[in-house]
Amino acid sequence: MMTDTTFATYFESTAIFEDRLQQIINQGSLSLMLSIGYRTGLFRVLADLDAATCEEISDRAGLQTKYVENWLAVMSTGGILEYDSIFQTYRLPAEHAALLLQRGGSHAYASSVQWVSLSAKLEDEIVNCFREGGPLPSDLFTRLQSQLIEDNSVSIMNGLFKHVFPLVPRLIMQLCEGRDVLQLGCGSGSTLIELARTFPASQFVGYDSSATLIDNARETARQKQINNVTFIRRELTEIHAIESFDLVLALDILQDQAQPHRVLEQVLTALRPEGTFLMQDLARSRNRELNLQHPLAALLYSLSCVRNMAIENQAQTSNGSRWCQEKALQALQDLGFESIDVQTLPHDLISDYYVASKPRLAAS
């Protein structure tokens, strides 16, 4: 039987937790609306305006006023926008715009939050995996992920030029001069097509296992008349290229592979001597306590959960452990890559970026 003190403590703990649950529900709703604001261009419109009315904002964005009005209300209650009740105007502070839209070298939080809406589209399948085991329909997951990349193509390209490519000395100059580039897991090709357009002297090849995405990529390249890019449907464990590329890109795809070590073997074979491998991977350590200290730990574990469901072996390596930074570094070293470096960059807090090179003489 509870004493008065025990009951008071129980009541206080319950009240605190109820308040926390209410915050979670509100923040979840806010996350969805942040994603919508990013995809509809509302944040970009607000960033270019000072104080503006709902009608002015919706007109500038080309959106329905009645829906924008509700969205603005959510952003105001969430502290994203400032609202002037006298003039009935909304304003996005410059410091908020910098964090939402990756201005001034910051992380694009409005882009990252789209993973929440992506996961929501898979909720029925995720629930079924919890009950009956995986995998998720891999083609569905791949198409949704590719759509996310396409929605964020401008931010991705900005990040590549400002933060990622500078990790490799003279890489941009080399691409201007002309190099052979392979992207693994190219999806619908948005990133590779933009690179091909930017560097017409270089030749680009994109591999993806989804026939639908490869067809979409080919059609987009045809429509845009980009002739220095080729898209091929191919499993990433079977690249079938020998010393054919100066640069191989694997952007946010290796942790989704059932056999990441096999993919890296194929990368090493495909690279020319002294060629460069540039990889983006989920920032995940073998050390659980270290992961829990990450400022976006809940997002990282959510992404890991969904992605693990998308492949049959639950993203485990041959000895049964999860793919992580330590495993990636060990695999690169064991295979014979040189000059291996890994960094976390300011524009992308949830990813690690690896640079490695193939030795002048191929490893035996």
Side-chain angles (χ1 to χ4, degrees):
M1 183 175 180
M2 286 188 180
T3 64
D4 291 345
T5 301
T6 304
F7 182 80
T9 302
Y10 173 83
F11 182 81
E12 181 180 2
S13 297
T14 302
I16 291 172
F17 186 60
E18 182 178 20
D19 180 64
R20 173 64 177 146
L21 288 175
Q22 291 173 353
Q23 292 180 40
I24 290 172
I25 293 170
N26 275 327
Q27 296 304 315
S29 301
L30 186 59
S31 294
L32 175 60
M33 289 296 157
L34 283 170
S35 178
I36 290 172
Y38 185 82
R39 295 188 64 183
T40 57
L42 279 164
F43 283 127
R44 289 188 292 274
V45 168
L46 284 159
D48 293 334
L49 293 172
D50 193 11
T53 65
C54 174
E55 289 76 15
E56 290 170 337
I57 294 166
S58 57
D59 286 348
R60 180 73 70 91
L63 302 171
Q64 298 292 315
T65 301
K66 59 184 177 181
Y67 301 128
V68 172
E69 183 178 14
N70 288 329
W71 182 85
L72 291 168
V74 175
M75 293 299 104
S76 299
T77 59
I80 309 300
L81 301 181
E82 295 176 350
Y83 176 63
D84 188 320
S85 59
I86 297 176
F87 295 100
Q88 297 186 345
T89 56
Y90 301 85
R91 177 177 173 271
L92 178 63
E95 59 272 23
H96 293 191
L99 291 170
L100 288 165
L101 297 172
Q102 194 183 315
R103 297 188 173 186
S106 64
H107 178 73
Y109 284 93
S111 172
S112 292
V113 83
Q114 288 180 83
W115 272 108
V116 177
S117 55
L118 172 66
S119 299
K121 292 179 180 179
L122 295 167
E123 184 175 351
D124 289 344
E125 289 82 2
I126 291 172
V127 170
N128 188 62
C129 284
F130 269 91
R131 289 174 173 160
E132 301 181 14
L136 286 171
S138 58
D139 192 58
L140 172 61
F141 177 79
T142 301
R143 282 188 281 112
L144 289 174
Q145 190 175 15
S146 181
Q147 180 61 52
L148 178 65
I149 292 171
E150 193 162 347
D151 289 343
N152 297 329
S153 59
V154 174
S155 294
I156 290 171
M157 291 300 298
N158 288 339
L160 285 176
F161 282 104
K162 292 181 181 179
H163 302 287
V164 182
F165 284 173
L167 294 174
V168 183
R170 297 191 68 253
L171 176 58
I172 293 178
M173 180 62 67
Q174 291 170 355
L175 292 173
C176 289
E177 294 170 352
R179 293 294 187 272
D180 292 311
V181 180
L182 170 66
Q183 184 185 6
L184 302 179
C186 63
S188 58
S190 56
T191 299
L192 205 60
I193 287 171
E194 287 304 313
L195 288 175
R197 178 156 52 187
T198 304
F199 302 108
S202 291
Q203 295 293 320
F204 297 86
V205 178
Y207 287 174
D208 201 282
S209 60
S210 169
T212 300
L213 294 179
I214 287 296
D215 288 343
N216 292 342
R218 289 170 177 166
E219 179 60 21
T220 302
R222 187 191 66 80
Q223 291 178 358
K224 294 185 177 183
Q225 298 182 330
I226 307 296
N227 299 317
N228 59 325
V229 62
T230 302
F231 294 101
I232 301 171
R233 185 196 176 197
R234 187 161 293 173
E235 296 296 332
L236 304 189
T237 52
E238 303 296 335
I239 295 177
H240 296 310
I242 300 175
E243 297 188 356
S244 302
F245 299 100
D246 304 293
L247 172 67
V248 175
L249 302 173
L251 304 177
D252 199 28
I253 57 97
L254 206 70
Q255 68 273 352
D256 299 329
Q257 303 304 308
Q259 301 179 64
H261 196 279
R262 170 66 177 169
V263 175
L264 293 178
E265 286 180 340
Q266 292 287 294
V267 169
L268 187 65
T269 302
L271 281 170
R272 292 178 177 135
E274 298 185 284
T276 299
F277 178 47
L278 188 52
M279 177 175 75
Q280 173 192 359
D281 218 3
L282 197 63
R284 180 171 52 196
S285 170
R286 177 189 295 156
N287 188 318
R288 180 182 178 86
E289 287 69 28
L290 186 61
N291 290 332
L292 292 173
Q293 294 173 16
H294 194 283
L296 293 174
L299 175 61
L300 283 171
Y301 273 105
S302 297
L303 292 177
S304 181
C305 178
V306 173
R307 284 175 149 171
N308 287 348
M309 289 178 178
I311 53 178
E312 290 185 357
N313 77 337
Q314 301 293 291
Q316 293 181 349
T317 56
S318 58
N319 67 358
S321 59
R322 300 288 184 186
W323 184 253
C324 58
Q325 183 187 110
E326 292 86 353
K327 286 292 176 184
L329 289 172
Q330 188 64 55
L332 291 169
Q333 292 169 4
D334 291 346
L335 288 168
F337 283 93
E338 294 183 342
S339 304
I340 302 167
D341 184 35
V342 57
Q343 294 191 33
T344 301
L345 300 179
H347 77 295
D348 184 359
L349 300 181
I350 65 173
S351 298
D352 287 329
Y353 287 84
Y354 301 75
V355 177
S357 61
K358 184 172 181 174
R360 181 185 296 271
L361 297 177
S364 58

Short mmCIF file of all heavy atoms in Angstrom, two decimals, residues 145-200:
data_model
loop_
_atom_site.label_atom_id
_atom_site.label_comp_id
_atom_site.label_asym_id
_atom_site.label_seq_id
_atom_site.Cartn_x
_atom_site.Cartn_y
_atom_site.Cartn_z
N GLN A 145 13.83 6.70 -50.50
CA GLN A 145 15.10 7.33 -50.17
C GLN A 145 15.61 8.17 -51.35
O GLN A 145 16.13 9.27 -51.16
CB GLN A 145 16.12 6.26 -49.81
CG GLN A 145 17.41 6.81 -49.23
CD GLN A 145 18.34 5.70 -48.76
OE1 GLN A 145 18.16 4.54 -49.10
NE2 GLN A 145 19.34 6.05 -47.96
N SER A 146 15.43 7.67 -52.55
CA SER A 146 15.85 8.41 -53.74
C SER A 146 15.04 9.69 -53.89
O SER A 146 15.57 10.73 -54.28
CB SER A 146 15.70 7.55 -54.99
OG SER A 146 16.11 8.24 -56.14
N GLN A 147 13.75 9.63 -53.57
CA GLN A 147 12.91 10.82 -53.62
C GLN A 147 13.40 11.86 -52.63
O GLN A 147 13.43 13.07 -52.91
CB GLN A 147 11.45 10.47 -53.31
CG GLN A 147 10.49 11.67 -53.35
CD GLN A 147 10.45 12.31 -54.71
OE1 GLN A 147 10.23 11.65 -55.72
NE2 GLN A 147 10.67 13.62 -54.76
N LEU A 148 13.81 11.41 -51.46
CA LEU A 148 14.34 12.31 -50.45
C LEU A 148 15.60 12.99 -50.97
O LEU A 148 15.78 14.21 -50.82
CB LEU A 148 14.65 11.54 -49.17
CG LEU A 148 15.26 12.32 -48.02
CD1 LEU A 148 14.30 13.38 -47.51
CD2 LEU A 148 15.65 11.38 -46.89
N ILE A 149 16.49 12.22 -51.61
CA ILE A 149 17.71 12.79 -52.17
C ILE A 149 17.39 13.80 -53.25
O ILE A 149 17.99 14.88 -53.33
CB ILE A 149 18.61 11.67 -52.71
CG1 ILE A 149 19.13 10.80 -51.56
CG2 ILE A 149 19.77 12.23 -53.52
CD1 ILE A 149 19.85 9.56 -52.00
N GLU A 150 16.41 13.48 -54.10
CA GLU A 150 16.04 14.40 -55.17
C GLU A 150 15.47 15.69 -54.62
O GLU A 150 15.77 16.78 -55.10
CB GLU A 150 15.04 13.73 -56.11
CG GLU A 150 14.84 14.48 -57.41
CD GLU A 150 14.21 13.60 -58.49
OE1 GLU A 150 14.15 12.37 -58.32
OE2 GLU A 150 13.79 14.18 -59.50
N ASP A 151 14.64 15.59 -53.57
CA ASP A 151 14.08 16.78 -52.95
C ASP A 151 15.17 17.68 -52.39
O ASP A 151 15.03 18.91 -52.35
CB ASP A 151 13.12 16.40 -51.81
CG ASP A 151 11.84 15.77 -52.32
OD1 ASP A 151 11.53 15.93 -53.52
OD2 ASP A 151 11.15 15.10 -51.53
N ASN A 152 16.27 17.06 -51.96
CA ASN A 152 17.35 17.80 -51.32
C ASN A 152 18.55 17.99 -52.24
O ASN A 152 19.64 18.27 -51.77
CB ASN A 152 17.80 17.07 -50.05
CG ASN A 152 16.70 16.98 -49.02
OD1 ASN A 152 15.86 17.86 -48.94
ND2 ASN A 152 16.70 15.91 -48.24
N SER A 153 18.35 17.85 -53.54
CA SER A 153 19.48 17.84 -54.46
C SER A 153 20.28 19.13 -54.41
O SER A 153 21.52 19.10 -54.50
CB SER A 153 18.99 17.58 -55.90
OG SER A 153 18.07 18.57 -56.31
N VAL A 154 19.61 20.26 -54.24
CA VAL A 154 20.33 21.54 -54.18
C VAL A 154 21.22 21.58 -52.95
O VAL A 154 22.41 21.95 -53.01
CB VAL A 154 19.34 22.72 -54.17
CG1 VAL A 154 20.10 24.04 -53.95
CG2 VAL A 154 18.57 22.78 -55.48
N SER A 155 20.67 21.19 -51.79
CA SER A 155 21.46 21.18 -50.56
C SER A 155 22.60 20.18 -50.64
O SER A 155 23.71 20.43 -50.16
CB SER A 155 20.58 20.84 -49.36
OG SER A 155 19.62 21.86 -49.13
N ILE A 156 22.34 19.02 -51.26
CA ILE A 156 23.38 18.00 -51.40
C ILE A 156 24.53 18.53 -52.26
O ILE A 156 25.71 18.37 -51.91
CB ILE A 156 22.80 16.72 -52.00
CG1 ILE A 156 21.87 16.03 -50.99
CG2 ILE A 156 23.91 15.76 -52.43
CD1 ILE A 156 21.08 14.89 -51.55
N MET A 157 24.20 19.18 -53.38
CA MET A 157 25.25 19.71 -54.24
C MET A 157 26.04 20.80 -53.53
O MET A 157 27.27 20.84 -53.62
CB MET A 157 24.63 20.26 -55.53
CG MET A 157 24.07 19.20 -56.45
SD MET A 157 25.33 18.02 -57.01
CE MET A 157 26.43 19.11 -57.91
N ASN A 158 25.34 21.68 -52.80
CA ASN A 158 26.05 22.72 -52.04
C ASN A 158 27.00 22.09 -51.03
O ASN A 158 28.13 22.55 -50.86
CB ASN A 158 25.04 23.63 -51.33
CG ASN A 158 24.30 24.53 -52.28
OD1 ASN A 158 24.76 24.78 -53.40
ND2 ASN A 158 23.15 25.03 -51.86
N GLY A 159 26.53 21.04 -50.36
CA GLY A 159 27.37 20.36 -49.38
C GLY A 159 28.58 19.70 -50.02
O GLY A 159 29.69 19.74 -49.47
N LEU A 160 28.40 19.11 -51.20
CA LEU A 160 29.52 18.48 -51.89
C LEU A 160 30.60 19.49 -52.22
O LEU A 160 31.79 19.25 -52.00
CB LEU A 160 29.04 17.80 -53.17
CG LEU A 160 28.28 16.48 -53.02
CD1 LEU A 160 27.78 15.99 -54.38
CD2 LEU A 160 29.15 15.40 -52.38
N PHE A 161 30.20 20.63 -52.76
CA PHE A 161 31.18 21.62 -53.19
C PHE A 161 31.82 22.38 -52.03
O PHE A 161 33.02 22.68 -52.05
CB PHE A 161 30.54 22.61 -54.17
CG PHE A 161 30.40 22.06 -55.55
CD1 PHE A 161 29.16 21.63 -56.01
CD2 PHE A 161 31.49 21.93 -56.39
CE1 PHE A 161 29.02 21.10 -57.29
CE2 PHE A 161 31.36 21.41 -57.67
CZ PHE A 161 30.12 21.00 -58.12
N LYS A 162 31.02 22.69 -51.00
CA LYS A 162 31.55 23.49 -49.89
C LYS A 162 32.32 22.67 -48.86
O LYS A 162 33.26 23.17 -48.24
CB LYS A 162 30.39 24.21 -49.19
CG LYS A 162 29.74 25.30 -50.02
CD LYS A 162 28.62 25.97 -49.24
CE LYS A 162 27.94 27.05 -50.06
NZ LYS A 162 26.82 27.69 -49.30
N HIS A 163 31.91 21.41 -48.67
CA HIS A 163 32.45 20.65 -47.55
C HIS A 163 33.11 19.32 -47.95
O HIS A 163 34.16 18.98 -47.40
CB HIS A 163 31.34 20.35 -46.53
CG HIS A 163 30.67 21.57 -46.00
ND1 HIS A 163 31.27 22.43 -45.11
CD2 HIS A 163 29.42 22.09 -46.24
CE1 HIS A 163 30.44 23.41 -44.81
NE2 HIS A 163 29.33 23.24 -45.48
N VAL A 164 32.48 18.57 -48.86
CA VAL A 164 32.92 17.20 -49.11
C VAL A 164 34.08 17.14 -50.09
O VAL A 164 35.14 16.57 -49.78
CB VAL A 164 31.74 16.33 -49.61
CG1 VAL A 164 32.21 14.89 -49.83
CG2 VAL A 164 30.59 16.36 -48.60
N PHE A 165 33.92 17.69 -51.27
CA PHE A 165 35.00 17.63 -52.27
C PHE A 165 36.31 18.28 -51.78
O PHE A 165 37.39 17.79 -52.14
CB PHE A 165 34.55 18.27 -53.58
CG PHE A 165 33.61 17.39 -54.39
CD1 PHE A 165 33.00 17.86 -55.54
CD2 PHE A 165 33.34 16.09 -54.00
CE1 PHE A 165 32.15 17.06 -56.29
CE2 PHE A 165 32.49 15.28 -54.72
CZ PHE A 165 31.90 15.76 -55.87
N PRO A 166 36.25 19.35 -50.98
CA PRO A 166 37.51 19.91 -50.47
C PRO A 166 38.30 18.96 -49.57
O PRO A 166 39.48 19.22 -49.29
CB PRO A 166 37.04 21.15 -49.68
CG PRO A 166 35.80 21.58 -50.37
CD PRO A 166 35.12 20.28 -50.74
N LEU A 167 37.68 17.85 -49.13
CA LEU A 167 38.43 16.86 -48.36
C LEU A 167 39.52 16.20 -49.21
O LEU A 167 40.49 15.66 -48.67
CB LEU A 167 37.49 15.77 -47.83
CG LEU A 167 36.44 16.18 -46.80
CD1 LEU A 167 35.51 15.01 -46.49
CD2 LEU A 167 37.10 16.69 -45.52
N VAL A 168 39.34 16.23 -50.53
CA VAL A 168 40.31 15.62 -51.45
C VAL A 168 41.06 16.75 -52.17
O VAL A 168 40.45 17.47 -52.98
CB VAL A 168 39.62 14.71 -52.48
CG1 VAL A 168 40.65 14.04 -53.38
CG2 VAL A 168 38.75 13.69 -51.79
N PRO A 169 42.34 16.94 -51.89
CA PRO A 169 43.08 18.04 -52.54
C PRO A 169 42.98 17.98 -54.06
O PRO A 169 43.12 16.92 -54.66
CB PRO A 169 44.52 17.80 -52.07
CG PRO A 169 44.38 17.06 -50.78
CD PRO A 169 43.17 16.18 -50.96
N ARG A 170 42.66 19.11 -54.66
CA ARG A 170 42.62 19.31 -56.11
C ARG A 170 41.51 18.51 -56.81
O ARG A 170 41.48 18.44 -58.04
CB ARG A 170 43.95 18.95 -56.76
CG ARG A 170 45.13 19.81 -56.33
CD ARG A 170 46.37 19.59 -57.20
NE ARG A 170 46.15 20.08 -58.55
CZ ARG A 170 45.97 19.30 -59.62
NH1 ARG A 170 45.93 17.97 -59.48
NH2 ARG A 170 45.79 19.83 -60.81
N LEU A 171 40.57 17.95 -56.05
CA LEU A 171 39.54 17.11 -56.69
C LEU A 171 38.70 17.94 -57.67
O LEU A 171 38.44 17.48 -58.80
CB LEU A 171 38.64 16.48 -55.64
CG LEU A 171 37.46 15.65 -56.19
CD1 LEU A 171 37.96 14.54 -57.11
CD2 LEU A 171 36.62 15.08 -55.06
N ILE A 172 38.27 19.11 -57.27
CA ILE A 172 37.43 19.93 -58.16
C ILE A 172 38.20 20.29 -59.42
O ILE A 172 37.66 20.24 -60.54
CB ILE A 172 36.92 21.18 -57.42
CG1 ILE A 172 35.94 20.75 -56.32
CG2 ILE A 172 36.25 22.14 -58.39
CD1 ILE A 172 35.40 21.90 -55.49
N MET A 173 39.48 20.64 -59.28
CA MET A 173 40.29 20.96 -60.46
C MET A 173 40.43 19.73 -61.36
O MET A 173 40.36 19.82 -62.59
CB MET A 173 41.67 21.45 -60.02
CG MET A 173 42.59 21.81 -61.17
SD MET A 173 41.94 23.19 -62.18
CE MET A 173 42.06 24.53 -60.98
N GLN A 174 40.63 18.56 -60.77
CA GLN A 174 40.76 17.34 -61.55
C GLN A 174 39.49 17.03 -62.34
O GLN A 174 39.54 16.61 -63.50
CB GLN A 174 41.11 16.17 -60.64
CG GLN A 174 42.51 16.25 -60.05
CD GLN A 174 42.74 15.22 -58.96
OE1 GLN A 174 41.83 14.48 -58.59
NE2 GLN A 174 43.97 15.16 -58.44
N LEU A 175 38.33 17.24 -61.69
CA LEU A 175 37.06 17.01 -62.38
C LEU A 175 36.87 18.00 -63.53
O LEU A 175 36.28 17.66 -64.56
CB LEU A 175 35.90 17.11 -61.39
CG LEU A 175 35.83 15.99 -60.34
CD1 LEU A 175 34.75 16.30 -59.31
CD2 LEU A 175 35.56 14.65 -61.00
N CYS A 176 37.35 19.21 -63.35
CA CYS A 176 37.29 20.19 -64.44
C CYS A 176 38.17 19.74 -65.61
O CYS A 176 37.82 19.95 -66.78
CB CYS A 176 37.75 21.56 -63.94
SG CYS A 176 36.60 22.38 -62.81
N GLU A 177 39.31 19.14 -65.29
CA GLU A 177 40.23 18.69 -66.34
C GLU A 177 39.70 17.45 -67.05
O GLU A 177 39.95 17.26 -68.25
CB GLU A 177 41.60 18.38 -65.72
CG GLU A 177 42.30 19.61 -65.16
CD GLU A 177 43.52 19.24 -64.33
OE1 GLU A 177 43.72 18.02 -64.08
OE2 GLU A 177 44.27 20.16 -63.95
N GLY A 178 38.99 16.59 -66.30
CA GLY A 178 38.43 15.38 -66.90
C GLY A 178 38.85 14.13 -66.17
O GLY A 178 40.03 13.76 -66.20
N ARG A 179 37.92 13.46 -65.52
CA ARG A 179 38.17 12.22 -64.80
C ARG A 179 37.00 11.27 -65.02
O ARG A 179 35.90 11.69 -65.42
CB ARG A 179 38.35 12.47 -63.30
CG ARG A 179 39.60 13.25 -62.93
CD ARG A 179 40.87 12.48 -63.24
NE ARG A 179 42.07 13.14 -62.74
CZ ARG A 179 42.77 14.05 -63.40
NH1 ARG A 179 42.35 14.43 -64.61
NH2 ARG A 179 43.86 14.58 -62.89
N ASP A 180 37.22 9.98 -64.75
CA ASP A 180 36.16 8.98 -64.83
C ASP A 180 35.63 8.73 -63.42
O ASP A 180 36.40 8.36 -62.51
CB ASP A 180 36.70 7.68 -65.43
CG ASP A 180 37.07 7.84 -66.89
OD1 ASP A 180 36.23 8.37 -67.64
OD2 ASP A 180 38.19 7.44 -67.27
N VAL A 181 34.31 8.89 -63.25
CA VAL A 181 33.69 8.87 -61.93
C VAL A 181 32.56 7.85 -61.90
O VAL A 181 31.74 7.79 -62.83
CB VAL A 181 33.14 10.26 -61.54
CG1 VAL A 181 32.50 10.22 -60.15
CG2 VAL A 181 34.23 11.31 -61.61
N LEU A 182 32.52 7.04 -60.85
CA LEU A 182 31.44 6.09 -60.63
C LEU A 182 30.73 6.44 -59.33
O LEU A 182 31.36 6.65 -58.31
CB LEU A 182 32.00 4.66 -60.52
CG LEU A 182 31.02 3.57 -60.06
CD1 LEU A 182 29.92 3.35 -61.08
CD2 LEU A 182 31.77 2.26 -59.79
N GLN A 183 29.39 6.49 -59.38
CA GLN A 183 28.60 6.64 -58.16
C GLN A 183 27.82 5.36 -57.92
O GLN A 183 27.05 4.91 -58.76
CB GLN A 183 27.63 7.82 -58.22
CG GLN A 183 26.88 7.99 -56.90
CD GLN A 183 25.81 9.07 -56.94
OE1 GLN A 183 25.51 9.64 -57.99
NE2 GLN A 183 25.20 9.34 -55.80
N LEU A 184 27.99 4.78 -56.74
CA LEU A 184 27.25 3.60 -56.34
C LEU A 184 25.95 4.02 -55.66
O LEU A 184 25.94 4.93 -54.84
CB LEU A 184 28.08 2.75 -55.38
CG LEU A 184 29.43 2.27 -55.90
CD1 LEU A 184 30.14 1.46 -54.83
CD2 LEU A 184 29.27 1.46 -57.17
N GLY A 185 24.85 3.33 -56.01
CA GLY A 185 23.57 3.70 -55.43
C GLY A 185 23.13 5.08 -55.88
O GLY A 185 22.74 5.92 -55.07
N CYS A 186 23.15 5.30 -57.17
CA CYS A 186 22.87 6.63 -57.72
C CYS A 186 21.40 7.00 -57.67
O CYS A 186 21.05 8.17 -57.89
CB CYS A 186 23.37 6.72 -59.15
SG CYS A 186 22.54 5.58 -60.29
N GLY A 187 20.51 6.04 -57.41
CA GLY A 187 19.08 6.34 -57.35
C GLY A 187 18.57 6.87 -58.67
O GLY A 187 18.90 6.36 -59.76
N SER A 188 17.79 7.93 -58.61
CA SER A 188 17.22 8.52 -59.82
C SER A 188 18.18 9.47 -60.52
O SER A 188 17.81 10.15 -61.48
CB SER A 188 15.91 9.25 -59.51
OG SER A 188 16.13 10.25 -58.53
N GLY A 189 19.41 9.54 -60.03
CA GLY A 189 20.47 10.21 -60.78
C GLY A 189 20.61 11.70 -60.60
O GLY A 189 21.45 12.32 -61.27
N SER A 190 19.86 12.32 -59.69
CA SER A 190 19.87 13.77 -59.59
C SER A 190 21.25 14.33 -59.27
O SER A 190 21.69 15.30 -59.90
CB SER A 190 18.86 14.24 -58.53
OG SER A 190 19.11 13.63 -57.28
N THR A 191 21.94 13.72 -58.32
CA THR A 191 23.28 14.21 -57.95
C THR A 191 24.26 14.03 -59.09
O THR A 191 25.01 14.96 -59.44
CB THR A 191 23.79 13.49 -56.70
OG1 THR A 191 22.90 13.74 -55.61
CG2 THR A 191 25.19 13.96 -56.33
N LEU A 192 24.27 12.86 -59.69
CA LEU A 192 25.25 12.57 -60.75
C LEU A 192 24.99 13.42 -61.99
O LEU A 192 25.94 13.86 -62.66
CB LEU A 192 25.21 11.08 -61.10
CG LEU A 192 26.50 10.51 -61.70
CD1 LEU A 192 27.66 10.68 -60.73
CD2 LEU A 192 26.32 9.05 -62.05
N ILE A 193 23.74 13.66 -62.31
CA ILE A 193 23.42 14.50 -63.47
C ILE A 193 23.93 15.92 -63.26
O ILE A 193 24.47 16.55 -64.17
CB ILE A 193 21.90 14.48 -63.74
CG1 ILE A 193 21.51 13.12 -64.34
CG2 ILE A 193 21.50 15.61 -64.68
CD1 ILE A 193 20.02 12.90 -64.44
N GLU A 194 23.78 16.44 -62.05
CA GLU A 194 24.27 17.78 -61.76
C GLU A 194 25.79 17.83 -61.82
O GLU A 194 26.37 18.81 -62.31
CB GLU A 194 23.78 18.24 -60.38
CG GLU A 194 22.31 18.57 -60.33
CD GLU A 194 21.91 19.63 -61.36
OE1 GLU A 194 22.62 20.66 -61.46
OE2 GLU A 194 20.93 19.41 -62.09
N LEU A 195 26.45 16.78 -61.36
CA LEU A 195 27.91 16.73 -61.45
C LEU A 195 28.35 16.67 -62.91
O LEU A 195 29.31 17.33 -63.31
CB LEU A 195 28.44 15.52 -60.68
CG LEU A 195 28.38 15.60 -59.16
CD1 LEU A 195 28.83 14.28 -58.54
CD2 LEU A 195 29.24 16.74 -58.64
N ALA A 196 27.64 15.87 -63.70
CA ALA A 196 27.98 15.76 -65.12
C ALA A 196 27.79 17.09 -65.84
O ALA A 196 28.60 17.45 -66.72
CB ALA A 196 27.13 14.68 -65.77
N ARG A 197 26.76 17.81 -65.48
CA ARG A 197 26.53 19.12 -66.10
C ARG A 197 27.60 20.13 -65.66
O ARG A 197 28.03 20.97 -66.46
CB ARG A 197 25.14 19.64 -65.72
CG ARG A 197 24.84 21.02 -66.29
CD ARG A 197 23.37 21.29 -66.43
NE ARG A 197 22.64 21.05 -65.20
CZ ARG A 197 21.30 21.09 -65.11
NH1 ARG A 197 20.58 21.33 -66.21
NH2 ARG A 197 20.69 20.86 -63.98
N THR A 198 28.03 20.03 -64.40
CA THR A 198 29.03 20.97 -63.88
C THR A 198 30.41 20.70 -64.44
O THR A 198 31.20 21.63 -64.65
CB THR A 198 29.06 20.88 -62.34
OG1 THR A 198 27.75 21.11 -61.83
CG2 THR A 198 30.02 21.90 -61.75
N PHE A 199 30.72 19.41 -64.70
CA PHE A 199 32.06 19.02 -65.17
C PHE A 199 31.97 18.30 -66.51
O PHE A 199 32.09 17.07 -66.59
CB PHE A 199 32.74 18.12 -64.13
CG PHE A 199 32.88 18.74 -62.77
CD1 PHE A 199 32.09 18.29 -61.72
CD2 PHE A 199 33.78 19.77 -62.55
CE1 PHE A 199 32.22 18.85 -60.46
CE2 PHE A 199 33.91 20.35 -61.29
CZ PHE A 199 33.12 19.89 -60.23
N PRO A 200 31.74 19.02 -67.58
CA PRO A 200 31.52 18.38 -68.89
C PRO A 200 32.73 17.62 -69.42
O PRO A 200 32.58 16.75 -70.29
CB PRO A 200 31.17 19.57 -69.80
CG PRO A 200 31.75 20.77 -69.11
CD PRO A 200 31.64 20.49 -67.66
#
